[in-house]
Amino acid sequence: AQSVSQHNHHVILSEAASLELGCNYSYGGTVNLFWYVQYPGQHLQLLLKYFSGDPLVKGIKGFEAEFIKSKFSFNLRKPSVQWSDTAEYFCAVNGGNDYKLSFGAGTTVTVRA
Amino acid sequence: KAGVTQTPRYLIKTRGQQVTLSCSPISGHRSVSWYQQTPGQGLQFLFEYFSETQRNKGNFPGRFSGRQFSNSRSEMNVSTLELGDSALYLCASSLQGSPDTQYFGPGTRLTVL
């Protein structure tokens, strides 16, 4: 069965600090990988996704993620966070054609001004 | 283009009752997925429908059921409600289903007393 683990439950940063959120997955076959974000009071929305090709993917709002197949990881990064990046971040995995997303537990990121 | 809409947004029920939640996908999207979000379990996949057919189902009891209509709108039903069913129920739509990007609605907040 697929599983997704996110390393940090809550991260607190100051503005302009760098952010890295860890995500590891367990799945034996081809995977598609996603990071979703939920800003306070808003819907879940897609930050970025990886299907194939360049393992370094860029998303919205300056976020990027790197897929390392040998480590079953898909870590999210942002070089310099802003107060508006305060949100909950979810890593998700889709395995082949199973038509579902398996989510990690989420990481709450608080950015202090 | 209008986003995914869910009705009602809030619902309060008592144990033993049943409830029906509705989801209208983005126009042109034929896949609808449902997820349950709770503080303890996070985001868990309930089921996915495409062209009125259920293609995948998560590990939930048979009290949880769903259907999709010919216009792609979807409903989910929970019978014999339990306290533990209190959650945010999210609907997501996509063109063909995962791994296509899933667009989430605002959710229905169900409280079971």
Side-chain angles (χ1 to χ4, degrees), chain A residues 32 34 36 38 43-46 49 51 88 90 94 96-105, chain B residues 4 33 35 37 42-43 45 48 55-56 88 90 96-106:
Chain A
N32 304 295
F34 306 80
Y36 277 84
Q38 191 167 31
H43 309 178
L44 266 172
Q45 59 184 279
L46 183 70
K49 61 186 178 184
F51 288 178
E88 190 159 16
F90 295 91
N94 160 254
N97 292 322
D98 63 9
Y99 306 117
K100 72 174 188 179
L101 288 175
S102 296
F103 284 88
Chain B
V4 177
S33 299
Y35 296 85
Q37 186 176 22
L43 278 151
F45 171 77
E48 189 262 1
R55 297 193 294 190
N56 201 351
L88 182 67
L90 295 171
Q96 303 282 343
S98 220
D100 287 347
T101 298
Q102 294 193 28
Y103 296 85
F104 284 81

Side-chain angles (χ1 to χ4, degrees), chain A residues 4-85:
Chain A
V4 183
S5 62
Q6 292 185 236
H7 307 160
N8 308 98
H9 180 63
H10 194 179
V11 172
I12 302 173
L13 301 163
S14 298
E15 276 193 312
S18 64
L19 172 70
E20 180 159 1
L21 302 181
C23 173
N24 285 91
Y25 65 91
S26 170
Y27 187 74
T30 302
V31 293
N32 304 295
L33 300 157
F34 306 80
W35 276 97
Y36 277 84
V37 62
Q38 191 167 31
Y39 297 104
Q42 296 187 27
H43 309 178
L44 266 172
Q45 59 184 279
L46 183 70
L47 265 181
L48 47 78
K49 61 186 178 184
Y50 172 80
F51 288 178
S52 63
D54 188 345
L56 185 63
V57 293
K58 296 191 183 299
I60 61 171
K61 305 189 180 188
F63 285 90
E64 63 179 31
E66 185 176 15
F67 170 51
I68 303 179
K69 189 175 181 179
S70 60
K71 294 185 178 180
F72 297 90
S73 70
F74 190 54
N75 293 351
L76 180 72
R77 298 193 290 252
K78 185 170 184 179
S80 177
V81 295
Q82 301 172 316
W83 177 81
S84 58
D85 293 323

Side-chain angles (χ1 to χ4, degrees), chain B residues 14-29:
Chain B
T14 56
R15 279 181 299 173
Q17 287 187 308
Q18 74 157 14
V19 67
T20 299
L21 312 181
S22 181
C23 171
S24 292
I26 292 171
S27 177
H29 286 191

Side-chain angles (χ1 to χ4, degrees), chain B residues 35-88:
Chain B
Y35 296 85
Q36 182 196 63
Q37 186 176 22
T38 60
Q41 300 296 318
L43 278 151
Q44 293 188 286
F45 171 77
L46 280 156
F47 24 66
E48 189 262 1
Y49 288 88
F50 180 81
S51 292
E52 301 179 68
T53 299
Q54 186 184 91
R55 297 193 294 190
N56 201 351
K57 189 178 191 305
N59 289 332
F60 280 83
R63 301 185 296 107
F64 291 80
S65 63
R67 59 178 176 168
Q68 186 181 34
F69 301 95
S70 57
N71 62 358
S72 294
R73 191 176 70 83
S74 177
E75 289 180 348
M76 66 163 282
N77 184 276
V78 188
S79 63
T80 321
L81 283 166
E82 300 178 0
L83 295 179
D85 297 333
S86 294
L88 182 67

